[in-house]
């Protein structure tokens, strides 16, 4: 079953703890993205990566970190510095370098800070 | 800077009635416009994009550069059209493929 797998689906965290959200894809896509989805605000870009070992900050990168050690994997760490981490997080990938810019999304991870 | 505005948070229509979701954008360059849809308990997925000029599930959208709009239309709404719809923009010159999303419009189709 090809696609993007995000885990965990639900995650609860105490304030002050770092958590890492997993994103794995078997689509052989080069580019990967993390978005945050909040009601009434749509999706906002956190980080993105076009190739292994390279990534760029998006619009709301503060309090987050990522790594891209493998093409298939793009984990997101929500650090204790993120002031409002409770949200729904979406991972996406894009395989068309020619610029179709069509993203494939994962099912998402819902993080709740207690 | 790129910006996408969807003025309606919620759109409630009756089955069989026309539905139009508004999307306006601001971008000085040449944009690529998309509509993504998220059905209940499903993943966010592409509905259509302006460069394809196609109709998907009865929906169409025309890019109006003069009015900087990309409204989504369907002449006869169905109950299965109930979903969250997002308009998104990408710069054609952006090799990173970043998308700027609007806030979304929740569509509810009642029988």
């Amino acid at each position: 079953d090809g696609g993007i797998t995000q885990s965990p689906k639900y995650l609860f965290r105490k304030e002050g703890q770092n958590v890492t959200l997993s994103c794995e894809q078997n689509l052989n896509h080069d580019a990967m993205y993390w978005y945050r989805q909040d009601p009434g605000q749509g999706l906002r870009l956190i980080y993105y990566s076009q190739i292994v070992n390279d990534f760029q900050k998006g619009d709301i990168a503060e309090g987050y970190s990522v790594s891209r050690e493998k093409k298939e994997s793009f984990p997101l760490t929500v650090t204790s510095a993120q002031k409002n981490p409770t949200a729904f997080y979406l991972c996406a990938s894009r395989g068309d370098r020619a610029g179709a810019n069509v993203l494939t999304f994962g099912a998402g991870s819902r993080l709740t800070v207690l | 800077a790129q910006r996408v505005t969807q003025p309606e948070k919620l759109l409630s229509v009756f089955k069989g009635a026309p539905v139009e979701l508004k999307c306006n954008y601001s971008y000085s360059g040449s944009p690529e416009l998309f509509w993504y849809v998220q059905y209940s308990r499903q993943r966010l997925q592409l509905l259509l994009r302006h460069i394809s000029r196609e109709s998907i599930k009865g929906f169409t959208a025309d890019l109006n550069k003069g009015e900087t709009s990309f409204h989504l239309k369907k002449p006869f709404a169905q109950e299965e059209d109930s979903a969250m719809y997002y308009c998104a923009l990408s710069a054609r010159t952006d090799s990173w493929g970043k998308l700027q999303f609007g806030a979304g419009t929740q569509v509810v189709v009642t029988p």
Side-chain angles (χ1 to χ4, degrees), chain B:
Chain B
Q2 305 163 12
R3 186 168 184 171
V4 178
T5 303
Q6 293 180 250
E8 304 126 337
K9 288 186 179 180
L10 174 65
L11 210 52
S12 184
V13 298
F14 286 107
K15 178 182 175 181
V19 60
E20 180 179 26
L21 288 74
K22 291 184 168 46
C23 173
N24 289 91
Y25 67 91
S26 62
Y27 178 58
S28 57
S30 183
E32 285 191 69
L33 274 298
F34 306 82
W35 277 99
Y36 279 79
V37 60
Q38 192 169 29
Y39 300 103
S40 179
R41 297 187 181 86
Q42 293 189 29
R43 304 181 181 209
L44 189 63
Q45 59 188 284
L46 177 71
L47 179 61
L48 53 80
R49 45 183 168 153
H50 88 272
I51 59 173
S52 298
R53 293 184 169 273
E54 54 195 348
S55 174
I56 303 293
K57 298 185 178 182
F59 284 98
T60 59
D62 291 318
L63 177 60
N64 186 323
K65 290 187 178 181
E67 295 183 358
T68 59
S69 68
F70 188 56
H71 303 328
L72 182 69
K73 301 176 185 179
K74 184 170 183 176
F76 308 103
Q78 302 300 315
E79 290 181 66
E80 55 264 31
D81 296 327
S82 295
M84 189 71 166
Y85 292 79
Y86 291 98
C87 183
L89 177 151
S90 179
R92 289 199 185 187
T93 55
D94 181 4
S95 62
W96 293 97
K98 302 188 302 296
L99 287 181
Q100 185 75 36
F101 285 85
T105 297
Q106 180 73 49
V107 172
V108 177
V109 181
T110 52

Side-chain angles (χ1 to χ4, degrees), chain A residues 79-92:
Chain A
T79 75
S80 57
Q82 168 51 232
K83 295 179 181 177
N84 185 21
T86 295
F88 191 59
Y89 292 88
L90 286 171
C91 180

Side-chain angles (χ1 to χ4, degrees), chain A residues 3 9 18 30 35 37 64 104:
Chain A
K9 193 172 182 179
N18 292 355
D30 291 312
Y35 283 89
Q37 187 178 26
Y64 299 98
T104 300

Side-chain angles (χ1 to χ4, degrees), chain A residues 6-43:
Chain A
Q6 289 188 240
S7 62
K9 193 172 182 179
Y10 299 97
L11 185 61
F12 297 89
R13 184 194 98 175
K14 293 182 180 179
E15 282 193 30
Q17 289 181 334
N18 292 355
V19 292
T20 297
L21 308 180
S22 170
C23 178
E24 303 280 332
Q25 54 103 354
N26 59 7
L27 301 167
N28 199 33
H29 285 177
D30 291 312
M32 296 186 74
Y33 310 81
W34 274 105
Y35 283 89
R36 171 179 169 144
Q37 187 178 26
D38 295 284
Q41 297 193 56
L43 281 72

Side-chain angles (χ1 to χ4, degrees), chain A residues 26-111:
Chain A
N26 59 7
L27 301 167
N28 199 33
H29 285 177
D30 291 312
M32 296 186 74
Y33 310 81
W34 274 105
Y35 283 89
R36 171 179 169 144
Q37 187 178 26
D38 295 284
Q41 297 193 56
L43 281 72
R44 292 179 290 167
L45 183 63
I46 305 173
Y47 267 98
Y48 56 102
S49 166
Q50 198 166 32
I51 55 173
V52 173
N53 292 324
D54 186 55
F55 46 82
Q56 305 293 325
K57 291 183 179 180
D59 300 320
I60 56 165
E62 185 176 351
Y64 299 98
S65 65
V66 293
S67 63
R68 188 86 187 273
E69 297 176 2
K70 299 186 299 182
K71 186 176 182 178
E72 304 79 20
S73 179
F74 191 41
L76 173 74
T77 297
V78 184
T79 75
S80 57
Q82 168 51 232
K83 295 179 181 177
N84 185 21
T86 295
F88 191 59
Y89 292 88
L90 286 171
C91 180
S93 69
R94 177 181 69 104
D96 187 343
R97 294 185 182 185
N101 292 339
V102 175
L103 301 188
T104 300
F105 283 88
S109 292
R110 185 168 298 281
L111 172 63

